[in-house]
Coordinates of all heavy atoms in Angstrom, one line a residue:
A1 N -20.7 -6.8 -3.6 CA -20.4 -8.1 -4.3 C -19.5 -7.9 -5.5 O -18.5 -8.7 -5.7 CB -21.7 -8.8 -4.6
A2 N -19.8 -6.9 -6.3 CA -19.0 -6.6 -7.5 C -17.6 -6.2 -7.0 O -16.6 -6.6 -7.7 CB -19.6 -5.5 -8.3
H3 N -17.5 -5.4 -6.0 CA -16.2 -5.0 -5.4 C -15.3 -6.2 -5.0 O -14.2 -6.4 -5.4 CB -16.4 -4.1 -4.2 CG -15.1 -3.9 -3.3 ND1 -14.7 -4.8 -2.4 CD2 -14.2 -2.9 -3.3 CE1 -13.6 -4.4 -1.8 NE2 -13.3 -3.2 -2.3
D4 N -16.0 -7.2 -4.4 CA -15.2 -8.4 -3.9 C -14.8 -9.3 -5.0 O -13.7 -9.8 -5.0 CB -16.1 -9.1 -2.9 CG -16.4 -8.3 -1.6 OD1 -15.6 -7.4 -1.3 OD2 -17.4 -8.6 -0.9
V5 N -15.7 -9.5 -6.0 CA -15.3 -10.3 -7.1 C -14.2 -9.6 -7.9 O -13.3 -10.3 -8.4 CB -16.6 -10.5 -8.0 CG1 -16.2 -11.3 -9.3 CG2 -17.6 -11.4 -7.3
L6 N -14.3 -8.3 -8.1 CA -13.3 -7.6 -8.9 C -12.0 -7.5 -8.2 O -10.9 -7.7 -8.8 CB -13.8 -6.2 -9.2 CG -13.0 -5.3 -10.1 CD1 -12.8 -5.9 -11.5 CD2 -13.6 -3.9 -10.2
M7 N -12.0 -7.3 -6.9 CA -10.8 -7.0 -6.1 C -10.1 -8.3 -5.6 O -8.9 -8.4 -5.5 CB -11.0 -6.1 -5.0 CG -11.6 -4.7 -5.4 SD -10.4 -3.8 -6.4 CE -9.1 -3.3 -5.3
Y8 N -10.9 -9.3 -5.2 CA -10.3 -10.5 -4.6 C -10.3 -11.6 -5.6 O -9.4 -12.5 -5.4 CB -11.1 -10.9 -3.4 CG -11.1 -10.0 -2.2 CD1 -12.2 -9.3 -1.8 CD2 -9.9 -9.9 -1.4 CE1 -12.1 -8.5 -0.7 CE2 -9.9 -9.1 -0.3 CZ -11.0 -8.4 0.0 OH -10.9 -7.5 1.1
G9 N -11.1 -11.6 -6.6 CA -11.3 -12.8 -7.4 C -12.4 -13.7 -6.9 O -12.8 -13.5 -5.7
A10 N -12.8 -14.7 -7.6 CA -13.9 -15.6 -7.2 C -13.4 -16.9 -6.8 O -14.2 -17.9 -6.6 CB -14.8 -15.8 -8.4
G11 N -12.1 -17.0 -6.5 CA -11.5 -18.3 -6.1 C -12.0 -18.7 -4.6 O -12.2 -17.8 -3.8
P12 N -12.1 -19.9 -4.3 CA -12.6 -20.3 -3.0 C -11.8 -19.8 -1.8 O -12.2 -19.7 -0.7 CB -12.6 -21.9 -3.1 CG -11.7 -22.2 -4.2 CD -11.8 -21.1 -5.2
G13 N -10.5 -19.6 -2.1 CA -9.6 -19.2 -1.0 C -9.8 -17.7 -0.6 O -9.2 -17.3 0.4
H14 N -10.6 -17.0 -1.4 CA -10.8 -15.6 -1.2 C -12.2 -15.2 -0.6 O -12.5 -14.1 -0.2 CB -10.6 -14.7 -2.4 CG -9.2 -14.8 -3.0 ND1 -8.1 -14.4 -2.3 CD2 -8.8 -15.4 -4.1 CE1 -7.0 -14.6 -3.1 NE2 -7.4 -15.2 -4.1
L15 N -13.1 -16.2 -0.6 CA -14.5 -15.9 -0.3 C -14.7 -15.4 1.2 O -15.6 -14.7 1.5 CB -15.4 -17.2 -0.5 CG -15.5 -17.6 -2.0 CD1 -16.5 -18.8 -2.0 CD2 -15.9 -16.5 -2.9
H16 N -13.7 -15.8 2.1 CA -13.9 -15.4 3.5 C -13.7 -13.9 3.6 O -14.0 -13.3 4.6 CB -12.8 -16.1 4.3 CG -11.4 -15.8 4.0 ND1 -10.7 -16.3 3.0 CD2 -10.6 -14.9 4.7 CE1 -9.5 -15.8 3.0 NE2 -9.4 -14.9 4.0
N17 N -13.1 -13.2 2.6 CA -12.9 -11.8 2.6 C -14.1 -11.0 2.2 O -14.2 -9.8 2.4 CB -11.7 -11.4 1.7 CG -10.4 -11.9 2.2 OD1 -10.1 -11.7 3.4 ND2 -9.6 -12.5 1.3
Y18 N -15.1 -11.7 1.7 CA -16.3 -11.0 1.0 C -17.1 -10.3 2.1 O -17.3 -10.8 3.2 CB -17.1 -12.0 0.3 CG -16.6 -12.3 -1.1 CD1 -15.2 -12.3 -1.4 CD2 -17.5 -12.6 -2.2 CE1 -14.8 -12.6 -2.7 CE2 -17.0 -12.9 -3.5 CZ -15.7 -12.9 -3.7 OH -15.2 -13.1 -5.0
D19 N -17.7 -9.2 1.7 CA -18.4 -8.3 2.6 C -19.7 -9.0 3.1 O -20.2 -8.8 4.2 CB -18.8 -7.0 1.9 CG -19.5 -6.0 2.9 OD1 -18.8 -5.5 3.8 OD2 -20.7 -5.7 2.7
H20 N -20.3 -9.8 2.3 CA -21.6 -10.4 2.7 C -21.5 -11.4 3.8 O -22.5 -11.8 4.5 CB -22.3 -11.1 1.5 CG -21.6 -12.4 1.1 ND1 -20.5 -12.5 0.4 CD2 -22.0 -13.7 1.3 CE1 -20.1 -13.7 0.2 NE2 -21.1 -14.5 0.7
N21 N -20.3 -11.8 4.1 CA -20.0 -12.7 5.3 C -20.1 -11.9 6.6 O -20.3 -12.4 7.6 CB -18.7 -13.4 5.1 CG -18.7 -14.5 4.1 OD1 -19.7 -15.2 3.9 ND2 -17.7 -14.6 3.3
V22 N -19.8 -10.6 6.5 CA -19.8 -9.7 7.6 C -21.2 -9.1 7.8 O -21.7 -9.0 8.9 CB -18.7 -8.6 7.5 CG1 -18.7 -7.7 8.7 CG2 -17.4 -9.2 7.3
F23 N -21.8 -8.6 6.7 CA -23.1 -8.0 6.6 C -24.0 -8.8 5.7 O -24.2 -8.4 4.5 CB -23.0 -6.5 6.2 CG -22.1 -5.7 7.1 CD1 -20.8 -5.4 6.7 CD2 -22.6 -5.2 8.3 CE1 -20.0 -4.6 7.5 CE2 -21.8 -4.4 9.1 CZ -20.5 -4.1 8.7
P24 N -24.6 -9.9 6.1 CA -25.3 -10.8 5.2 C -26.7 -10.2 4.8 O -27.2 -10.6 3.8 CB -25.5 -12.1 6.0 CG -25.4 -11.6 7.4 CD -24.4 -10.5 7.5
G25 N -27.3 -9.3 5.6 CA -28.6 -8.8 5.2 C -29.7 -9.8 5.7 O -29.4 -10.9 6.1
A26 N -30.9 -9.3 5.5 CA -32.1 -10.1 6.0 C -32.3 -11.4 5.2 O -32.7 -12.4 5.7 CB -33.4 -9.3 6.0
V27 N -32.1 -11.3 3.9 CA -32.2 -12.4 3.0 C -31.0 -12.5 2.0 O -30.5 -11.4 1.7 CB -33.6 -12.4 2.2 CG1 -34.8 -12.5 3.1 CG2 -33.6 -11.1 1.3
P28 N -30.6 -13.7 1.6 CA -29.5 -13.7 0.6 C -29.9 -13.2 -0.7 O -31.1 -13.3 -1.1 CB -29.2 -15.2 0.5 CG -30.5 -15.9 1.0 CD -31.1 -15.0 2.0
R29 N -29.0 -12.5 -1.4 CA -29.2 -12.0 -2.7 C -28.3 -12.7 -3.7 O -27.3 -13.2 -3.4 CB -29.0 -10.5 -2.8 CG -30.0 -9.7 -2.0 CD -31.4 -9.8 -2.5 NE -32.4 -9.0 -1.8 CZ -33.7 -9.0 -2.0 NH1 -34.2 -9.9 -2.9 NH2 -34.5 -8.3 -1.3
T30 N -28.7 -12.7 -5.0 CA -27.9 -13.4 -6.0 C -26.7 -12.6 -6.3 O -26.6 -11.4 -6.4 CB -28.8 -13.7 -7.3 OG1 -27.9 -14.4 -8.2 CG2 -29.2 -12.4 -7.9
F31 N -25.6 -13.4 -6.6 CA -24.3 -12.8 -7.1 C -24.3 -12.7 -8.6 O -23.4 -12.2 -9.2 CB -23.2 -13.7 -6.6 CG -22.6 -13.3 -5.3 CD1 -23.3 -13.7 -4.1 CD2 -21.4 -12.5 -5.2 CE1 -22.7 -13.3 -2.9 CE2 -20.9 -12.2 -3.9 CZ -21.6 -12.6 -2.8
A32 N -25.3 -13.2 -9.3 CA -25.3 -13.3 -10.7 C -25.1 -12.0 -11.4 O -24.3 -11.8 -12.3 CB -26.6 -14.0 -11.2
G33 N -25.9 -11.0 -11.0 CA -25.8 -9.7 -11.6 C -24.4 -9.0 -11.4 O -23.9 -8.4 -12.3
S34 N -23.9 -9.2 -10.2 CA -22.6 -8.6 -9.9 C -21.5 -9.3 -10.7 O -20.6 -8.6 -11.2 CB -22.3 -8.7 -8.4 OG -23.3 -8.0 -7.6
M35 N -21.6 -10.6 -10.8 CA -20.6 -11.3 -11.6 C -20.6 -10.9 -13.1 O -19.6 -10.6 -13.7 CB -20.9 -12.8 -11.6 CG -20.4 -13.5 -10.3 SD -20.8 -15.2 -10.3 CE -20.0 -15.7 -11.8
I36 N -21.8 -10.8 -13.6 CA -22.0 -10.3 -15.0 C -21.4 -8.9 -15.2 O -20.7 -8.6 -16.2 CB -23.4 -10.4 -15.5 CG1 -23.9 -11.9 -15.5 CG2 -23.6 -9.8 -16.9 CD1 -25.4 -12.1 -15.7
L37 N -21.7 -8.0 -14.2 CA -21.3 -6.7 -14.3 C -19.7 -6.6 -14.3 O -19.1 -5.8 -15.0 CB -21.9 -5.9 -13.2 CG -21.6 -4.3 -13.2 CD1 -22.2 -3.7 -14.5 CD2 -22.2 -3.7 -11.9
V38 N -19.1 -7.4 -13.4 CA -17.7 -7.4 -13.4 C -17.1 -7.9 -14.7 O -16.1 -7.4 -15.2 CB -17.2 -8.3 -12.2 CG1 -15.7 -8.6 -12.3 CG2 -17.5 -7.6 -10.9

């Protein structure tokens, strides 16, 4: 998530590139920590 925010940006036009759309996991996790870290 930090990779995607840092490399693509957080604009709505880039969200389709994010990894969680391909590998969402069993439960959704917050982006808050990754955003703050970036």
Side-chain angles (χ1 to χ4, degrees):
H3 167 276
D4 293 337
V5 173
L6 185 62
M7 299 298 290
Y8 292 111
H14 299 294
L15 296 185
H16 67 279
N17 293 313
Y18 278 32
D19 185 69
H20 74 284
N21 290 318
V22 181
F23 301 99
V27 294
R29 293 296 184 188
T30 182
F31 271 78
S34 300
M35 284 180 55
I36 294 169
L37 186 60
V38 168

